[in-house]
Amino acid sequence: CARPASPRSHSPAMSDEPRIEEIDEDEEVMDETILERIVALQEMFPEKLRDGTGTVVSWTAWSLQKSFGLARSGLWVLSTSALLVIVPLILESELENAQQMQQQQLLLEPDQFGGPSL
């Protein structure tokens, strides 16, 4: 009482080839765009969760934009104020150094008019 063998068990080439139904499913998946997949994901999550996530993302983007703008404005105020205060101080100290160098030079030079030198 031997069982008749099925045609698939005798043909190893048939077992390695994908079935026709599998090929059709793969082609359908490849035809799906990323946008269609994202839209399909919406159905997986409740509307309340999607709305809450959207609110959090919108608020985060808004706060980052405002923070960046505030930081940019603050940096502008600090840098221009520093320039208005520091540049005159640097120029004044350079002028004082030049005057001191000039006084030292005058003290070290012998008297050019024939008078006694110190």
Side-chain angles (χ1 to χ4, degrees):
C1 285
R3 272 172 79 176
S6 70
R8 285 190 176 166
S9 64
H10 288 298
S11 173
M14 285 186 80
S15 64
D16 290 341
E17 293 178 12
R19 293 189 309 231
I20 292 174
E21 298 97 33
E22 290 178 8
I23 293 173
D24 290 340
E25 289 175 14
D26 288 342
E27 287 178 4
E28 288 177 15
V29 171
M30 296 303 245
D31 291 341
E32 207 174 35
T33 65
I34 292 177
L35 182 60
E36 290 172 341
R37 288 184 182 199
I38 292 172
V39 169
L41 282 174
Q42 284 182 346
E43 298 170 0
M44 293 179 64
F45 301 104
E47 187 174 348
K48 188 174 182 178
L49 177 65
R50 291 190 315 245
D51 291 343
T53 304
T55 301
V56 168
V57 168
S58 296
W59 185 84
T60 302
W62 176 83
S63 62
L64 285 174
Q65 287 175 343
K66 294 298 178 183
S67 297
F68 179 72
L70 183 63
R72 194 176 67 195
S73 297
L75 182 62
W76 171 255
V77 168
L78 287 175
S79 62
T80 53
S81 298
L83 283 174
L84 291 174
V85 170
I86 292 174
V87 169
L89 289 176
I90 291 173
L91 291 175
E92 183 66 30
S93 69
E94 288 294 323
L95 182 63
E96 287 177 9
N97 286 341
Q99 287 176 350
Q100 285 178 356
M101 293 285 282
Q102 189 177 18
Q103 285 177 357
Q104 285 178 355
Q105 229 176 14
L106 286 176
L107 290 175
L108 294 176
E109 288 181 6
D111 189 13
Q112 296 177 356
F113 302 110
S117 64
L118 297 175

